[in-house]
Amino acid sequence: MLKIKNLHVSTESNISILKGLNLEINKGEVHAIMGPNGSGKSTLASIVAGDPKYMITSGEITFNGKSLTDLEPEERSSMGLFLSFQYPVEIPGISLNNFIKTALNQKQKALNEKPFSAKEILEKIKKNAEILKIDLDFIKRSVNVGFSGGEKKRAEIFQMLMLQPQLSILDETDSGLDIDALKIVAKGVNSLRNNNSSFIIITHYQRLLDHIQPDFVHVLNEGKIIKSGGSDIAKMLEEKGYDWI
Amino acid sequence: MTGYKKNLAPQFNVEKESSFITDFLPSIKNEDWNYTNIKKFIPDSIAVQPFNIGTNEEQLKKLISKKVDKLPEKNLVFFMDGVFQEELSKLPTGIKIKKLTNSENKQNALYLNCLGKGFNTINNDTYEGFSSFLKNTKLVELNAHLTDSPYMITVTDAYNCDGHLKIIHGFSNQNAFFNQNRLLCLIEENTRVLIYEEIINFGKGDSAFNMVSEFVCLEGSSLDFFTTQNDLTNSSLINSVFCVQQKNSSSNFHFFSKKGKLIRNNILVDLLDTRSNSNVLGTSLMESSDHLDNFIIISHLVEGCKSNQFFKSVYDENSSGAFCGKIYVEKGAQQTEAFQQNNNLMISKSANVNAKPQLEIFADDVVCSHGCTIGAIDEDMLFYLRSRGIKKKEAVQLLIGAFLNELISNIENPEIKKEVSELFLNNTNV
């Protein structure tokens, strides 16, 4: 599904961040990516989603066989990619409700499908709001404005469930969540998990992985994956820290 | 065409009439006109709208049907070329319209200056009204010379209406004239009115409009005044609004500017007596090479008054604009609360705006603030929207809508809110 080959990425100001990263994710797999601060985890998430602040200097990313390099963020989204932001931006004046409606129907349009009716959208909203224990009044508020840290993350997962992506990248979605919120977020992710959808979960902590069992765990350091394996790696890191590697 | 000649004040040399307009056009060296070169918009050779064009009713109906499906059903005051059209208007109870005669018109550059004295409760002999502004902006004087007999609308305490009073200023404008229009409005004690004003150009584009409106809010009255400036393609509008307020009165102005080669709003409010307050708001979206200049002075002349200026503008393509807002607090006007905010969103690299917020404060116990921003679309917001599958163009539209909706969403009258939303939000569903 997602293939990353020898990826080198720099910022706008030419600071090299990813330095030869390789990663392959197949249908239905859950990959966890761990690593110390500044190792390039969020850059990896951003470059896959198409953040114009980063540039690919060499290497390649393909999604379902198609190169992502020249695709706009919205094209990547309609292909089935989703990024849950580490710091979701506040957008005053646009309600979450209308935002998600617009996003859903733009995606339908891009896929040459007919738009969802207001009723169909409302049903989807209700269903997903219930999974995430979100109040319907919350959806009428402006996107992320005045949301608590936990509410912002829950709103990200809500958007993910609405858009039904094939590959979701969760960039430190667990940071700032209390135990109950963490369980709810995990429930949301698990409800989307099936043989066709895949996840990249970027995290610092083992605790999220207790609720979402990863198939693979990778350790990213200085722009490269330095260790890959099963979920036991996460447990070792929790006990011994990154010096252990 | 020569209708105005005989009515001109003696100081004008009729021989020089073709260029006398020039004497009334401020230059950009004039501090109040730094950012708008009016001479670029109003050529010396422009023909002046004659008095009493006298369009007959049949012609009038034909003109109207070409432009608007139908006039509003109720509460309508309709002017055509500055003449009140009784047949086409629907005057609600409590609204009176009077044509001021020539003797009342004389050479008063500003009616307020004489009208105001009669009920001037302020014990301040030095009150000079808006004279210092009028010295710099002689266009108002020009309007007085070229307007035959203006109308005065009185909102009496018998007026009691939940909805709004629509005022349409129509212009038949067959020859791309320099059109003049003048209106006085007196709101009587403890009376509340919501006026929604619109200018409709039924004639040629490429013309100019010099409008002057004067409001007098008596004790305890409340004026809401909304105006849309959208039907001015290739035309120039100089719109001067003067408002004086008595004790416990309130005024809320909201200017919606969208289409016009030049839109210049002069908005001057004098708070004459205690516990009066004024909100002056503006929402605008400028495109092509259009130019918008909002010039505001709110003067706190006595203690205990409140005011707020809030202007939000979007500039796209090659449009340009200016915001000059002043809060003036007279010596002794203690416990004044006055705020000013101006936010500009630039969509295109070739658009430009100048902002000049000004505070002039001579009292020491006041709360005043001003804030001004000029910025582009936030890249992080744009990426966030796009990452959810929304195309760049639509995402920009959404963000423009969100920016403008801040003031629009607070409009209480549902009909006006709907019209204004259609004008600015372009079905963006914010």
Side-chain angles (χ1 to χ4, degrees):
Chain A
M1 182 183 267
L2 183 79
K3 282 185 187 158
I4 300 177
K5 273 187 210 154
N6 191 28
L7 186 69
H8 289 74
V9 172
S10 299
T11 61
E12 279 168 326
S13 47
N14 247 334
I15 299 165
S16 167
I17 299 186
L18 297 183
K19 300 158 185 167
L21 185 137
N22 293 291
L23 184 64
E24 187 168 343
I25 291 167
N26 296 309
K27 272 187 182 177
E29 291 177 354
V30 176
H31 292 242
I33 294 181
M34 305 182 83
N37 295 326
S39 57
K41 302 185 297 296
S42 288
T43 302
L44 173 64
S46 301
I47 198 79
V48 174
D51 189 338
K53 286 203 285 285
Y54 299 96
M55 287 178 308
I56 297 178
T57 48
S58 70
E60 200 187 22
I61 311 173
T62 59
F63 185 63
N64 290 336
K66 205 170 170 190
S67 169
L68 291 182
T69 314
D70 295 324
L71 294 185
E72 302 292 347
E74 57 268 32
E75 291 172 304
R76 301 178 195 214
S77 170
S78 14
M79 286 168 74
L81 269 166
F82 181 89
L83 169 62
S84 166
F85 285 78
Q86 184 180 4
Y87 304 110
V89 62
E90 298 189 4
I91 310 181
I94 301 180
S95 73
L96 182 55
N97 189 23
N98 282 325
F99 168 48
I100 200 70
K101 278 182 192 168
T102 310
L104 263 178
N105 279 333
Q106 288 242 334
K107 188 176 174 184
Q108 289 296 98
K109 202 173 157 190
L111 299 174
N112 283 323
E113 303 273 345
K114 70 172 184 17
F116 290 114
S117 70
K119 194 177 164 226
E120 285 172 306
I121 293 182
L122 185 65
E123 277 165 9
K124 279 177 197 285
I125 288 177
K126 276 186 181 161
K127 188 183 122 200
N128 292 321
E130 197 177 319
I131 294 173
L132 298 172
K133 293 188 176 158
I134 289 176
D135 195 68
L136 284 179
D137 280 340
F138 174 77
I139 291 161
K140 291 178 191 154
R141 289 168 60 185
S142 285
V143 177
N144 297 322
V145 177
F147 289 13
S148 72
E151 283 173 330
K152 281 183 184 168
K153 298 299 172 73
R154 224 184 280 195
E156 293 291 292
I157 299 303
F158 171 72
Q159 292 172 44
M160 180 186 85
L161 294 185
M162 289 298 292
L163 291 166
Q164 298 275 315
Q166 287 182 39
L167 174 66
S168 307
I169 304 169
L170 275 54
D171 190 3
E172 293 197 26
T173 301
D174 53 337
S175 298
L177 291 185
D178 63 38
I179 313 272
D180 291 335
L182 189 77
K183 279 183 190 163
I184 291 167
V185 164
K187 190 177 154 200
V189 172
N190 287 328
S191 75
L192 187 64
R193 207 169 162 180
N194 59 38
N195 291 337
N196 286 318
S197 61
S198 311
F199 294 87
I200 296 175
I201 293 170
I202 296 171
T203 181
H204 282 294
Y205 309 105
Q206 162 64 29
R207 55 176 204 170
L208 180 65
L209 305 179
D210 288 339
H211 300 284
I212 309 168
Q213 287 292 324
D215 301 302
F216 302 93
V217 176
H218 309 277
V219 179
L220 187 61
N221 193 26
E222 291 181 3
K224 277 183 190 171
I225 287 176
I226 53 166
K227 194 168 181 71
S228 295
S231 55
D232 49 321
I233 293 183
K235 290 192 181 95
M236 289 298 278
L237 285 174
E238 186 89 353
E239 278 168 31
K240 300 185 178 172
Y242 291 107
D243 287 343
W244 158 72
I245 301 167
Chain B
M1 167 61 219
T2 52
Y4 67 90
K5 266 190 191 170
K6 60 179 188 297
N7 293 293
L8 276 180
Q11 67 260 40
F12 298 118
N13 186 342
V14 182
E15 303 298 309
K16 280 166 64 191
E17 64 165 275
S18 61
S19 64
F20 87 95
I21 287 174
T22 322
D23 300 340
F24 293 90
L25 303 183
S27 91
I28 51 165
K29 287 180 192 155
N30 181 329
E31 206 187 330
D32 291 352
W33 288 83
N34 281 161
Y35 305 112
T36 298
N37 186 357
I38 191 86
K39 292 177 185 178
K40 231 174 68 187
F41 298 97
I42 299 176
D44 291 356
S45 57
I46 194 164
V48 173
Q49 170 202 20
F51 287 149
N52 306 324
I53 295 173
T55 323
N56 72 38
E57 204 170 314
E58 205 172 300
Q59 288 172 310
L60 202 61
K61 282 190 173 151
K62 214 168 149 188
L63 265 179
I64 293 165
S65 63
K66 256 198 279 181
K67 189 94 185 188
V68 286
D69 298 340
K70 57 176 184 186
L71 295 172
E73 302 276 321
K74 53 174 190 179
N75 301 348
L76 170 68
V77 180
F78 186 82
F79 293 100
M80 195 67 175
D81 298 317
V83 181
F84 174 55
Q85 305 294 326
E86 199 166 357
E87 306 278 306
L88 294 166
S89 301
K90 280 126 193 160
L91 280 191
T93 314
I95 301 287
K96 284 190 207 156
I97 295 193
K98 183 188 165 199
K99 190 170 180 173
L100 297 182
T101 60
N102 244 341
S103 62
E104 285 164 296
N105 188 5
K106 286 212 175 133
Q107 292 310 316
N108 294 310
L110 192 66
Y111 298 97
L112 277 182
N113 281 352
C114 63
L115 267 179
K117 276 180 192 153
F119 52 86
N120 197 352
T121 55
I122 180 174
N123 289 323
N124 182 356
D125 295 334
T126 58
Y127 177 59
E128 287 182 357
F130 303 99
S131 55
S132 62
F133 168 78
L134 294 170
K135 256 179 242 160
N136 284 339
T137 300
K138 290 198 168 163
L139 279 154
V140 178
E141 190 187 332
L142 180 71
N143 176 289
H145 293 309
L146 297 178
T147 312
D148 183 19
S149 30
Y151 289 86
M152 177 155 148
I153 296 182
T154 306
V155 183
T156 67
D157 60 3
Y159 177 75
N160 182 9
C161 182
D162 286 339
H164 61 278
L165 174 69
K166 180 110 183 188
I167 297 182
I168 295 179
H169 298 288
F171 293 96
S172 60
N173 195 34
Q174 297 306 314
N175 282 323
F177 291 128
F178 188 22
N179 299 276
Q180 314 291 322
N181 193 82
R182 192 177 192 98
L183 185 69
L184 285 84
C185 193
L186 175 69
I187 298 115
E188 289 194 337
E189 279 94 350
N190 303 315
T191 306
R192 165 181 288 271
V193 66
L194 164 57
I195 295 172
Y196 185 31
E197 179 197 64
E198 198 177 350
I199 304 162
I200 303 180
N201 184 2
F202 294 98
K204 292 191 174 164
D206 217 3
S207 42
F209 302 88
N210 184 17
M211 317 250 311
V212 177
S213 307
E214 296 159 50
F215 296 93
V216 175
C217 300
L218 297 188
E219 187 173 337
S221 66
S222 158
L223 164 71
D224 284 300
F225 184 82
F226 296 82
T227 180
T228 53
Q229 304 169 331
N230 182 47
D231 188 34
L232 299 160
T233 310
N234 287 323
S235 294
S236 304
L237 168 70
I238 303 113
N239 180 40
S240 306
V241 175
F242 301 90
C243 182
V244 291
Q245 291 186 228
Q246 295 295 339
K247 198 185 279 181
N248 287 326
S249 64
S250 74
S251 69
N252 292 295
F253 291 93
H254 201 155
F255 296 80
F256 306 105
S257 315
K258 196 172 173 197
K259 208 143 201 56
K261 191 166 70 179
L262 163 70
I263 299 174
R264 159 83 180 207
N265 288 309
N266 302 309
I267 307 146
L268 289 93
V269 179
D270 276 6
L271 300 169
L272 296 184
D273 210 341
T274 53
R275 294 189 300 281
S276 55
N277 66 73
S278 178
N279 295 306
V280 179
L281 313 175
T283 296
S284 55
L285 171 59
M286 305 307 287
E287 291 167 339
S288 73
S289 300
D290 291 352
H291 181 75
L292 169 70
D293 184 347
N294 282 317
F295 182 93
I296 303 104
I297 304 176
I298 298 185
S299 302
H300 288 253
L301 301 173
V302 293
E303 60 180 25
C305 297
K306 292 178 183 175
S307 74
N308 185 25
Q309 303 171 31
F310 195 173
F311 280 75
K312 299 200 86 168
S313 300
V314 176
Y315 294 93
D316 200 355
E317 298 174 356
N318 297 310
S319 62
S320 57
F323 170 84
C324 294
K326 186 192 268 190
I327 299 171
Y328 175 85
V329 182
E330 182 69 282
K331 195 176 167 188
Q334 308 294 7
Q335 276 106 47
T336 287
E337 282 180 32
F339 307 104
Q340 183 192 91
Q341 190 176 334
N342 171 230
N343 303 120
N344 300 289
L345 179 61
M346 315 306 284
I347 305 301
S348 136
K349 280 190 177 152
S350 41
N352 78 79
V353 68
N354 286 290
K356 195 162 84 174
Q358 301 171 77
L359 301 181
E360 218 174 309
I361 301 173
F362 298 99
D364 52 15
D365 181 16
V366 300
V367 182
C368 287
S369 74
H370 66 93
C372 175
T373 61
I374 300 174
I377 289 270
D378 184 300
E379 290 297 329
D380 289 337
M381 290 187 194
L382 190 61
F383 175 58
Y384 189 84
L385 295 176
R386 295 176 74 193
S387 79
R388 300 302 187 241
I390 299 173
K391 282 197 183 125
K392 187 176 179 182
K393 202 178 152 204
E394 270 87 4
V396 169
Q397 286 300 328
L398 266 177
L399 291 171
I400 292 174
F403 175 83
L404 291 177
N405 198 35
E406 185 174 356
L407 290 178
I408 295 171
S409 64
N410 289 331
I411 300 172
E412 282 171 18
N413 180 293
E415 289 163 59
I416 298 177
K417 189 177 190 170
K418 185 168 172 271
E419 271 189 45
V420 171
S421 301
E422 278 165 13
L423 190 62
F424 287 105
L425 306 181
N426 202 11
N427 304 321
T428 44
N429 267 331
V430 285

